[in-house]
Amino acid sequence: MTAHFRLRTELSGTMQQAFDLSRSIDAHLGSMADTGEQAVGGVTSGLIGLGETVTWRAKHFGVPWTMTSRITAFEEPHRFTDEQVSGPFRTFRHVHLFEPLERPMGTARTIMLDDVTFAAPFGPLGVVAEHVALTRHLRRLIESRNRWLAAALRQAQ
């Protein structure tokens, strides 16, 4: 059993700007400052690319955890995918999609879609956790991250 959700966020700026900010380790750290998240291995700053990994350390639900993700697909500036290599989930996959949004007067706008699929460990207990808490928690984290990215892109305009 897996959980899935999809988010749609409208951003100021070009697809390339949104794409690059979304794969920026530094932007991720800024957007997750409330969790105390740190990049502790692999690519720990700058832009992450195809085949590269990053190891994150954070505390969620009062529990410290470590997760290593690899960029498994990369089509600049249209999409990239990160997948858990090791960490707290049985599986975790986050597809980041970018589409241009036509606006009058040449104002660049981008639609960013986050497609997240994951499965918790622990069999039936994990399925309950997915439905009771994990999906809502992950959705809120990514919504918060997206608000941070949107504000950063507005400020850069």
Side-chain angles (χ1 to χ4, degrees):
M1 189 92 176
T2 59
H4 175 260
F5 63 90
R6 192 169 202 187
L7 298 174
R8 180 184 188 275
T9 307
E10 188 173 325
L11 301 170
S12 299
T14 66
M15 283 175 43
Q16 187 69 54
Q17 290 168 319
F19 182 87
D20 286 344
L21 193 61
S22 293
R23 66 189 182 105
S24 166
I25 302 298
D26 305 302
H28 183 88
L29 292 171
S31 71
M32 294 289 146
D34 291 346
T35 68
E37 195 158 322
Q38 300 173 328
V40 297
V43 178
T44 58
S45 66
L47 301 178
I48 193 165
L50 182 62
E52 296 180 320
T53 63
V54 58
T55 300
W56 304 105
R57 187 173 296 140
K59 191 177 273 192
H60 295 280
F61 300 111
V63 177
W65 59 268
T66 302
M67 178 172 145
T68 300
S69 295
R70 177 182 314 279
I71 303 300
T72 59
F74 193 87
E75 297 173 40
E76 188 171 350
H78 302 282
R79 67 173 46 221
F80 69 94
T81 302
D82 62 87
E83 296 186 63
Q84 176 186 279
V85 174
S86 64
F89 298 97
R90 192 162 37 92
T91 62
F92 183 92
R93 184 172 193 251
H94 184 174
V95 179
H96 308 254
L97 301 162
F98 304 88
E99 300 172 356
L101 180 61
E102 298 302 323
R103 286 291 206 212
M105 308 281 197
T107 306
R109 305 285 292 174
T110 299
I111 296 296
M112 179 175 66
L113 301 169
D114 293 280
D115 195 305
V116 179
T117 306
F118 68 96
F122 310 122
L125 289 176
V127 172
V128 171
E130 287 170 11
H131 293 289
V132 171
L134 284 177
T135 300
R136 184 177 321 137
H137 181 69
L138 286 172
R139 183 183 200 90
R140 286 181 181 161
L141 279 175
I142 294 174
E143 286 170 341
S144 175
R145 174 182 181 270
N146 291 353
R147 282 190 300 275
W148 192 97
L149 294 174
L153 283 168
R154 272 192 311 272
Q155 189 174 26
Q157 297 302 313

